[in-house]
Amino acid sequence: QVQLVESGGGLVQAGGSLRLSCAASGRTFSSYVMGWFRQAPGKERELVAAITWRRGSTNYADSVKGRFTISSDNAKNTVYLQMNSLKPEDTAVYYCAARTFATSQYNYWGQGTQVTVSS
């Protein structure tokens, strides 16, 4: 059974940084894509960044390009989201998710971690 556990959220001032972690367990993830999503109150969930375990290929939402970096540590089965130059509009619950290459749907989700950026 796949488990994704996020950590690292919190309260930070605008311009600050946070690093989120997602510890994955339950299977071999070499054929998986890992994504970080976020959902702010009253807004739809959006994909912030994604990475492939095997090649480390990444993609980002335009709103976070140049500020956020997604990375993975395959030995630790952990995916990170380094968030720099945070803005109040980055405030949201951030979720780690996983899918295989065979589907576009993310099948597995973590419980989420709150990120709050104060102005």
Side-chain angles (χ1 to χ4, degrees):
Q1 183 175 346
V2 174
Q3 279 195 316
L4 304 175
V5 180
E6 302 102 330
S7 60
L11 173 63
V12 65
Q13 288 189 333
S17 298
L18 281 175
R19 188 176 81 156
L20 306 183
S21 299
C22 172
S25 63
R27 64 185 55 187
T28 303
F29 291 94
S30 58
S31 62
Y32 277 69
V33 179
M34 303 298 294
W36 282 101
F37 288 76
R38 67 185 180 188
Q39 187 166 22
K43 294 189 176 182
E44 291 189 356
R45 187 176 294 183
E46 64 170 337
L47 178 63
V48 173
I51 187 168
T52 61
W53 277 108
R54 184 173 295 168
R55 292 191 173 188
S57 300
T58 60
N59 64 277
Y60 298 90
D62 288 342
S63 58
V64 305
K65 280 181 182 176
R67 300 189 299 122
F68 289 12
T69 302
I70 188 170
S71 62
S72 63
D73 184 332
N74 291 4
K76 295 182 178 180
N77 264 11
T78 300
V79 176
Y80 303 98
L81 185 68
Q82 177 67 43
M83 306 185 293
N84 298 329
S85 302
L86 282 161
K87 305 175 181 179
E89 51 263 43
D90 294 318
T91 295
V93 178
Y94 283 70
Y95 298 90
C96 177
R99 66 171 176 86
T100 67
F101 283 109
T103 176
S104 60
Q105 296 289 330
Y106 283 81
N107 306 103
Y108 306 101
W109 294 85
Q111 81 286 355
T113 185
Q114 177 70 46
V115 171
T116 303
V117 184
S118 63
S119 57

